[in-house]
């Protein structure tokens, strides 16, 4: 789904991911929902703060494949790439800890160039615990052009206006 590159857009993206996970059988207070929601909050906040290009939105995609969730946040700013090892912020700093949280909470994370357009995608993966959750979530029918380039089950969120 596409969101305006504003704090409100980041908040809406976080809420939508949490709602979608709840719909897919991972209730709001479960570790999977809370962890992916926090990861989404950090990645979308970074897209707004560091990846903002005037007049351009950011995109969020949530997929589940083989018991692993993948959250992707794509923005239009190619020249501001996060480091693979984020710098440690000073103890008095009020920011700079987002990617440290993502690295600590996710099983894996990284950055890939945005295909066919300027920008980048920051992604994180989180595996499901082996506590009996179903391997696949129910997916509403979707147009063929929204299938993920990764070959995973993908659900594109409907567009909303801000």
């Amino acid at each position: 789904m596409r969101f305006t590159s504003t704090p409100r857009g980041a908040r809406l993206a976080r809420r939508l991911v949490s709602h979608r996970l709840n719909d897919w059988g991972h209730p709001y207070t479960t570790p999977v929902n809370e962890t992916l929601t926090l990861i989404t909050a950090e990645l979308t906040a970074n897209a707004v703060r560091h990846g903002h290009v005037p007049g351009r939105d950011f995109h969020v995609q949530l997929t589940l494949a083989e018991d692993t969730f993948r959250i992707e946040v794509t923005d239009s700013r190619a020249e501001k790439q996060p480091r693979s090892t984020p710098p440690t912020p000073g103890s008095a700093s009020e920011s700079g800890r987002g990617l440290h949280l993502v690295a600590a909470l996710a099983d894996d994370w990284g950055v890939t160039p945005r295909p066919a357009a300027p920008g980048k995608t920051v992604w994180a993966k989180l595996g499901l615990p082996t506590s009996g959750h179903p391997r696949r979530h129910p997916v509403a029918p979707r147009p063929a052009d929204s299938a993920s380039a990764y070959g995973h089950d993908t659900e594109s969120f409907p567009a909303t206006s801000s």
Side-chain angles (χ1 to χ4, degrees):
M1 181 169 192
R2 189 175 72 189
F3 296 92
T4 58
S5 191
T6 63
R8 180 176 186 261
R11 184 178 68 250
L12 291 172
R14 179 195 77 225
R15 289 179 54 119
L16 188 59
V17 165
S18 182
H19 289 302
R20 186 66 63 210
L21 290 167
N22 183 66
D23 291 345
W24 290 352
H26 302 279
Y28 298 113
T29 59
T30 61
V32 168
N33 192 307
E34 290 179 344
T35 301
L36 275 169
T37 299
L38 178 57
I39 290 170
T40 302
E42 296 301 334
L43 296 181
T44 58
N46 282 352
V48 169
R49 185 171 189 176
H50 304 292
H52 175 75
V53 173
R56 301 290 178 158
D57 297 333
F58 69 90
H59 300 252
V60 174
Q61 182 171 310
L62 176 65
T63 57
L64 174 62
E66 300 181 18
D67 293 337
T68 300
F69 281 103
R70 181 179 173 108
I71 186 77
E72 299 177 358
V73 178
T74 303
D75 64 53
S76 299
R77 195 133 193 207
E79 73 276 8
K80 290 189 98 174
Q81 299 278 333
R83 297 185 204 169
S84 59
T85 305
T88 303
S91 61
S93 177
E94 293 183 13
S95 64
R97 292 172 179 78
L99 288 178
H100 287 285
L101 286 171
V102 171
L105 295 172
D107 294 328
D108 193 15
W109 77 278
V111 182
T112 56
R114 184 176 179 189
K120 65 186 170 300
T121 298
V122 183
W123 55 267
K125 291 182 180 181
L126 182 69
L128 282 174
T130 56
S131 62
H133 284 290
R135 289 183 59 104
R136 303 180 87 71
H137 61 275
V139 177
R142 64 182 186 268
D145 65 341
S146 68
S148 170
Y150 301 101
H152 302 149
D153 284 341
T154 304
E155 185 165 346
S156 296
F157 303 120
T160 60
S161 60
S162 300

